[in-house]
Amino acid sequence: MKKIIALSIITSSLLLANGYKIPEQSINGMALSAANVANAHGADANYYNPANMVFNKDKNSYEFLMSYIHLNKIEFDNQNGEIYESRDEDYLIPLFHFSSKDYNNFRWGLSITTPAGLSKKWDDPVPELGAKEFTLKTVELNPNIAYKVNNNFGIAFGIRALRSEGIANAFRAGLYSQYLNGDSIDFGWNAAASYQNDKRDTKIALTYRSKINMTLNGDASGYYSKFLLTGNPDDISTLISFKTNGKVKIPLPAALNLAFAKTFNKTTLEFVLERTFWSDYKELDFNLNDPYVEGIFGTPIPKHWKDANSYRIGLTHQCNKKLTAMLGFTYDETPVPDDTIDFSLPDSDKQIFSGGFKYKMDDRMKLGFSVLYAKQKERSVIMKQSDGTPIQGTFKDGGALLMAFGIDYSF
């Protein structure tokens, strides 16, 4: 019988936000668990709420930071007693934000961020069948223009240019080995509206980031057993090498944020509800140019993800004229349903805890540090392996530790 091997790619996850989004893109954003929308200010307002740029001081503001990410290993306890573990992984990511001074009620800004991705790697034989390595790297360039409608209301619009690179590797000794890589440049948009009262102690914001379809094009290479074409056991030792072109479309979903912030003396409390529209991710469908390779590896993989919410709360306290402290918490729903979860993205609901500070060195420069820990819930599953056989067990551990250090500069 013909055996169909369907591989997934680029559904790797940082396991911080639902799915493979990464919302923590600045010192304040990480310290507040991304509850940095209605009260966003300074350079990173361009990313979290560009409409708030109109309420910044009349200065050019910059933020340069380096983010360190440690992905904890994920353990899968198979019901048959076997235990599989993914690798620990570490990354350093530079990020940048800019917000301009006022130009007749207009402001402009620019952010360079990493809004999605990273990696999941397994070395055990069972996960290797379809998920030996999955890696996604993204860089987004996000310019925005904001307009101050009046003293209390601002609006903004921006363009999103996303550069993506993906790698996938799957392996089963003597049967198949596949290595895929691809890249693309794709575009989207974002918009924001923000209200602040005259005292600036009550703030309401609405932001929207459009879906971007990552249309990755690249190469697929490796080998497969002739048995996968003929179903004849006598052909199992006959290996056929291949190299072909292919493409796949992966959504970076749209997201809507509704935020409210209230200041009490020196303390600001912010609540954010984020809705991420993951239901656009219905299937993963490779299109490989070689018809034999397409027949073996190109079967569409159902995903059927669901829209998911993130509930965020952030607290900012002005300790004195120089020191600002921040704390944050998020409860993050997973979009991955039980019937399509696999080793490429063993996602589950998360609790995210964070904190940080900024210290004012002088009238132009601030230093900042933030830390975030994502705790992932255990999840018991029954999955289908790439060869169609079921596997039952529990995903444990996982999660991540992030730290960021940066400089704010304004003039």
Side-chain angles (χ1 to χ4, degrees), residues 372-401:
L372 179 149
Y373 176 70
K375 178 178 174 58
Q376 189 170 340
K377 292 179 65 175
E378 290 187 4
R379 185 169 183 179
S380 296
V381 298
I382 301 175
M383 303 181 295
K384 283 187 178 180
Q385 300 180 80
S386 59
D387 61 2
T389 58
I391 181 172
Q392 184 173 354
T394 301
F395 286 110
K396 297 180 178 180
D397 300 330
L401 175 69

Side-chain angles (χ1 to χ4, degrees), residues 320-377:
N320 53 47
K321 291 183 179 180
K322 290 184 174 289
L323 181 64
T324 303
M326 294 167 282
L327 292 172
F329 173 78
T330 293
Y331 185 82
D332 208 40
E333 297 176 345
T334 179
V336 184
D338 290 337
D339 57 343
T340 64
I341 193 170
D342 57 29
F343 286 106
S344 68
L345 186 55
D347 198 27
S348 65
D349 291 352
K350 299 168 208 66
Q351 297 180 66
I352 300 174
F353 307 87
S354 62
F357 67 87
K358 280 190 174 177
Y359 186 81
K360 185 177 181 180
M361 303 297 292
D362 54 40
D363 288 340
R364 291 192 172 189
M365 186 170 68
K366 296 179 182 178
L367 299 180
F369 175 80
S370 56
V371 61
L372 179 149
Y373 176 70
K375 178 178 174 58
Q376 189 170 340
K377 292 179 65 175

Side-chain angles (χ1 to χ4, degrees), residues 18 254-258 273-277 307-310 333:
N18 51 46
L256 179 69
N257 281 270
L258 177 62
L273 171 63
E274 181 177 16
R275 181 73 166 176
T276 305
F277 299 98
D307 296 341
N309 292 330
S310 298
E333 297 176 345

Side-chain angles (χ1 to χ4, degrees), residues 95-117:
L95 303 165
F96 169 78
H97 303 280
F98 168 76
S99 174
S100 79
K101 61 182 181 181
D102 180 72
Y103 293 95
N104 295 320
N105 291 327
F106 284 93
R107 306 275 186 131
W108 71 277
L110 178 70
S111 293
I112 302 174
T113 62
T114 302

Side-chain angles (χ1 to χ4, degrees), residues 39 273 405:
N39 193 44
L273 171 63
F405 176 77

Side-chain angles (χ1 to χ4, degrees), residues 4 42 54 90 100 122 129 137 150 245 267 289 308 322 325 360:
I4 301 295
V54 303
D90 297 278
S100 79
W122 299 84
L129 296 179
K137 299 177 182 179
N150 55 42
N245 296 324
T267 302
N289 289 359
K322 290 184 174 289
K360 185 177 181 180

